[in-house]
Amino acid sequence: MRNNPDRRHLSVVRNLGILAHVDAGKTTVTERILYATGTTHKRGEVHDGTTVTDFDPQERDRGITIFAAAVSCDWNGHRVNLIDTPGHVDFADEVERALRVLDGAVAVFDAVAGVEPQSESVWRQADRHGVPRIAFVNKMDRAGADLDTAVASLRARLHPVPLVVHLPIGAEDTFTGVVDLLRLRALTWGDGSDTAVEGDVPEALREEALRRRRLLEETVAERHPAALEEFCDRETLSAQTLTAALRDLTRTGDGVVVLCGSAYRNRGIEPLLDAVVDYLPSPLDMPAVCGIRDGVDGMRRGRSQATVDDMHHAADRMHHAADRMRHTADERRPADPAAPFAALAFKVGATPTGRLTYLRVYSGTIEKGDPVWESGTGRVERIGRILRVQADRHAQVDRAVAGDIVAVVGLKSARPGSTLCAPGDPLVLEPPGVADPVVSVAVEACRSTDTDRLASALARLAEEDPSLVVRTDPETGQTVLSGMGELHLEVAVEKIRRNLGLDVNVGRPRVTYRETVGRGVSGVVYRHVKQDGGAGQFAHVVLDVEALEDGFEFRSAVVGGRVPQEYVRAVEAGCRDALAEGPLGGHPVTGLRVSLTDGATHVKDSSDTAFRTAGRFALREALRACAMVLLEPVVEVTVTVPEDAVGGVLGDLAARRGRVTDSVVRGGSAVVTATVPLAELFGYATRLRSRTQGRGIFTARPTGYAPAPAAAMTP
């Protein structure tokens, strides 16, 4: 079952991620995969800080995965490129970027807790990207572990069709192995054993194994035509037919193969690797990557030195490319080493040896010294070195081909989301989405002489992590760092302190509010007239504003051509400009529909600029006349505490304006779910630990925005 040196053929490549909630065992699963494949010769442990993928000092100190880490290994003649992703909600953007470039995933679930909040979030992220998954129910050796309960949780909360291929042998601390329902063979691991021993199904489990095998056959036959035909003819399915059908159902998303084991005790890892090889797709099984040609303008920029404006607006161009992708897709590139080169940068990191850009190669071949065109700035750069990544260790390789995940040295301007391609065949691939930050802190250097160094460090952080946003507050002059949560910002600031030795002062985190329309207005008239000599500016618009559940919608109800269509588009652009600052506190505005109902033009003085200006000021005036509502971000908090601490926790949540939505007792602990304003959660981790003698834990995931109290003010 061990290694084969052939790594080149695309059909034997698997690019997958490990997805899960915090503490479900993702990193331990990754460590055991590396150990089982012979990539490492000692088992790394999270609690000892000896894991390969959690190599950052902060990860080892905190005992959680913070940064997505890539590793490679070989199993059964297949190359497995694996990314261990974070499980904490604050680092969901790392998961998003990883899923954008992966072909498959292993979702890890706790056998006691089942589907937890962040498990659900990452599952939905994988749904959006269409990533095929298999499920691994981990920690089968824990007290209260139950495969059937975990599968029921999977079915109820995530709504897949579970295709369970394992029956556990033993329960909790007597868990010793699994029955492979496809081959009806037992796989057992003794104490201290690193490999499975295959044997007959224990007599006590034989009847149950046959029943579950029959249930698996019926479930597969209902959803797979070839399996149904064989099932009708023979009233059973062969192991070969079941394997082929499970592969098809996994790749189409019509079913999810479920396995079980205990990664910590090294039980169930070999069957998991076999399932990765058997069921998850290779790059050849994936559709050809879709992009748009951006060649003429891109090549013109590429032949000249990139301007400062190019650098400043690289992210904007990538977002515009994503918008265009939704409307056009005029070229597909197959996973073919002979096709023109195209790759997507999904991660950028600084190391002592230089700047690393992590790439997923979708088509073509790249070698050291080759020129590549980069979509963010439109410039041509050269590849310095190509590296095969093993977390924080790297091995130089001569080339990378379609299907590879590698890091390259030498690119100065590539950002996460940039497309890299052959200069003669430019293509723009859709970049990963970036979530809006929800928490902010003010940061400043303790010494005035370090101000420039801090600015440079913050810019580098934002370059490496697009979910971090750095800006200067125009009212206070403070430098504001915004991110996805309190822990996200803590990690970013600590990185500056450790890596650069900078002393940094951090202000209380602030949340990002929104404003929305509670009651609209009609017939708001605005005339824009400006005459400075020569051609003037004239625009006349009449707007109606009404509340909308979410987002922004613009429509024109003008009749008789009183406002030409090109000016209608300019009015819409002006209205969008006005959404940046609302009348309550200068927060972004959402949840409204604007209707252009009338207007007038001047034969000489009307222009796009005039109507855009009129649209902007008209909507600002209309919003001041509306009944506006301040919105604050809210999160779903899941708190797990001992039963005797529930009363204090409920009281604390109520004091934080929390609304309890569910409370259940599971395995001797109480699990409380509540919706809480994000602004009230700062410092909650410390408060919860003190109330529960360190035994309480909580997780939070954003659920949107809700009306804030009338007294709420901008922090």
Side-chain angles (χ1 to χ4, degrees), residues 617-672:
F617 285 106
L619 183 54
R620 285 182 181 175
E621 190 172 300
L623 291 176
R624 285 194 290 268
C626 290
M628 299 296 290
V629 177
L630 185 67
L631 301 177
E632 62 181 348
V634 295
V635 296
E636 182 187 77
V637 177
T638 301
V639 187
T640 304
V641 295
E643 288 186 75
D644 58 5
V646 170
V649 168
L650 291 176
D652 192 31
L653 288 173
R656 296 172 186 271
R657 297 189 283 126
R659 181 173 57 85
V660 176
T661 57
D662 190 25
S663 180
V664 297
V665 176
R666 180 193 299 154
S669 297
V671 181
V672 178

Side-chain angles (χ1 to χ4, degrees), residues 55 77 121 139 142 186 242 277 377 388 442 451 465 522 551 557 577:
F55 57 85
S121 296
K139 302 190 178 183
R142 279 188 62 193
L242 260 180
V277 167
T377 59
R388 182 80 63 191
T451 300
D465 184 352
S522 300
D577 294 340

Side-chain angles (χ1 to χ4, degrees), residues 463-527:
E463 173 186 312
E464 295 176 7
D465 184 352
S467 59
L468 287 171
V469 176
V470 181
R471 62 182 177 85
T472 301
D473 190 309
E475 296 182 5
T476 65
Q478 288 180 310
T479 299
V480 178
L481 178 64
S482 303
M484 302 306 298
E486 193 174 4
L487 179 60
H488 189 203
L489 297 180
E490 282 181 18
V491 168
V493 172
E494 185 63 22
K495 194 171 183 181
I496 293 175
R497 289 173 175 151
R498 291 195 184 200
N499 293 358
L500 299 178
L502 280 175
D503 291 329
V504 180
N505 287 328
V506 179
R508 177 178 168 83
R510 296 176 296 177
V511 300
T512 303
Y513 291 86
R514 296 283 187 269
E515 298 177 27
T516 190
V517 173
R519 186 182 66 252
V521 295
S522 300
V524 176
V525 179
Y526 187 85
R527 290 170 61 87

